[in-house]
Amino acid sequence: MDAANGHERGTTERVLTLLGLLQQRRVWTGPELADRLGVTPRTIRRDVERLRTLGYPVHASQGIGGGYRLGPGQDLPPLLLDDEEATATAVSLLAGAGGAVAGAGDAALRALAKLDRVLPTRLRHEVRALSGSVDFFGGGRTPVDPGVLMTLARACRDEVEAGFDYPSGNEVRRRRVEPYRLVASDRRWYLLAYDLDRDDWRSFRVDRMTEVSARAWRFRPRAAPDAATHVQEGVASRVYPHQARFLVHASADTVRAQIPASAAVVRRRGSERCEVVSGAGSLDFVLMHVLLLGHDFEVVDPPELGTRCRVLAERLLSAGATIPPVPDGEER
């Protein structure tokens, strides 16, 4: 009996792993799944039949580009959620992805992408109607169309090219990209993608995109930079004409609490020091913000900023020279 229970438990775990793989990518071939799970293609066919029995609509196709894919069901397969629960869950995830729940955007979008895979068509219309009647007040991210987020999330998941119109200078141009990751900052959503026309990695603001579509052409993923780091460095520094680095004599956690992630990159340099990298249209502007943090600091780069510090220091000393000092223990 114990051996039988162990076999059944192993089969169940394998079938659940197979389901997870089918949710990660649009199409898998039988040999690919067999290799990932360490079984034969015949076992994969049996496990697919088990999923179908449970209500998961696993489709199979032959020929080039064929394989197994998880399609939308006529009814929700065992999770189990009824229609009201599924609709409420989807609307809540849309709210989280839009920034209504602090820190929940990325996780909400990943969960929504999984739910979208099996959500019946009749419920998708209801979700769209309900999400259109929900609004938020107060701070948060720049509003984006949930449908655009879902289109881009599916393109990232399915590894298919995407296209959209995007402003460049005084004109709007069509961009063709291999989408890699959606990244949420404290203010906006960004897409990290490989720009096929510029042959390089680029970050795009989702709220600036129009006419967004996913294409049918699949691509082989390239070696990619860390998505969050690449986007943050671009937003906080690379997009500006002037960049500066400082060594701040305070812990990274302390400085991160003082500076928005979209304004600077803070790197730990020991327990009581950190490096701050930021950019702006003027080096004086960056210098002012680092000065107002209230910590001792040193200019690392560029060298001319050190000269600017001395010029401004002399100007400040001159400005205060005519005011008599306040004796200790007294207030003006």
Side-chain angles (χ1 to χ4, degrees):
M1 178 66 80
D2 289 342
N5 287 340
H7 173 73
E8 182 63 29
R9 185 165 55 250
T11 300
T12 300
E13 291 173 355
R14 188 180 66 246
V15 170
L16 290 175
T17 302
L18 173 61
L19 177 60
L21 291 173
L22 291 171
Q23 288 178 327
Q24 290 176 16
R25 212 169 79 185
R26 184 173 180 80
V27 179
W28 291 85
T29 67
E32 285 177 333
L33 291 171
D35 182 64
R36 291 291 292 267
L37 296 175
V39 295
T40 64
R42 183 178 181 182
T43 300
I44 293 297
R45 289 194 293 271
R46 290 175 176 172
D47 288 347
V48 165
E49 286 303 320
R50 291 186 175 99
L51 287 175
R52 288 169 175 163
T53 300
L54 291 172
Y56 290 95
V58 183
H59 304 303
S61 56
Q62 303 292 327
I64 298 176
Y68 294 104
R69 65 181 179 87
L70 189 62
Q74 296 299 316
D75 297 294
L76 281 172
L79 193 49
L80 287 170
L81 297 175
D82 60 27
D83 284 6
E84 289 184 357
E85 292 169 335
T87 302
T89 300
V91 172
S92 298
L93 290 171
L94 281 168
V101 182
D106 292 329
L109 189 58
R110 290 196 303 270
L112 187 59
K114 290 181 179 179
L115 184 60
D116 174 74
R117 173 67 81 184
V118 293
L119 198 66
T121 301
R122 68 178 185 278
L123 296 186
R124 291 181 182 177
H125 296 307
E126 187 170 351
V127 168
R128 290 193 187 101
L130 283 174
S131 64
S133 64
V134 177
D135 208 344
F136 311 101
F137 65 89
R141 297 192 186 105
T142 302
V144 295
D145 183 349
V148 170
L149 279 179
M150 286 305 305
T151 297
L152 295 173
R154 284 194 293 264
C156 292
R157 179 195 63 199
D158 298 339
E159 297 172 355
V160 296
E161 291 183 15
F164 48 85
D165 293 343
Y166 199 78
S168 177
N170 296 324
E171 59 182 344
V172 175
R173 297 181 181 178
R174 191 69 180 171
R175 308 298 281 267
R176 298 182 310 115
V177 302
E178 295 176 355
Y180 179 64
R181 287 286 188 277
L182 281 164
V183 178
S185 75
D186 51 351
R187 297 173 58 193
R188 298 184 177 93
W189 280 98
Y190 296 88
L191 174 70
L192 175 64
Y194 192 84
D195 192 316
L196 295 170
D197 295 319
R198 288 158 178 78
D199 198 25
D200 198 5
W201 291 97
R202 291 287 190 273
S203 299
F204 301 94
R205 276 177 51 175
V206 176
D207 60 291
R208 290 182 173 176
M209 297 179 181
T210 54
E211 302 298 325
V212 180
S213 62
R215 313 180 76 182
W217 296 298
R218 294 187 62 188
F219 61 86
R220 184 183 298 275
R222 306 168 188 265
D226 179 79
T229 300
H230 189 275
V231 171
Q232 186 194 11
E233 289 179 351
V235 171
S237 178
R238 287 195 302 266
V239 297
Y240 295 101
H242 299 285
Q243 295 83 39
R245 288 193 301 141
F246 305 88
L247 184 64
V248 179
H249 294 245
S251 70
D253 291 341
T254 298
V255 175
R256 286 193 184 110
Q258 295 178 280
I259 305 178
S262 57
V265 177
V266 180
R267 302 188 180 110
R268 190 179 302 276
R269 293 292 183 263
S271 60
E272 296 300 325
R273 296 196 304 176
C274 63
E275 181 180 86
V276 174
V277 181
S278 186
S282 164
L283 287 175
D284 284 0
F285 186 83
V286 181
L287 185 60
M288 176 189 69
H289 279 274
V290 175
L291 176 66
L292 293 177
L293 293 176
H295 311 297
D296 291 339
F297 67 93
E298 304 164 32
V299 174
V300 177
D301 194 59
E304 60 267 25
L305 190 53
T307 303
R308 187 62 180 163
C309 283
R310 289 186 288 272
V311 170
L312 293 176
E314 292 173 0
R315 186 175 298 169
L316 288 171
L317 286 172
S318 176
T322 59
I323 302 176
V326 179
D328 292 341
E330 294 186 14
E331 294 183 0
R332 285 192 179 275

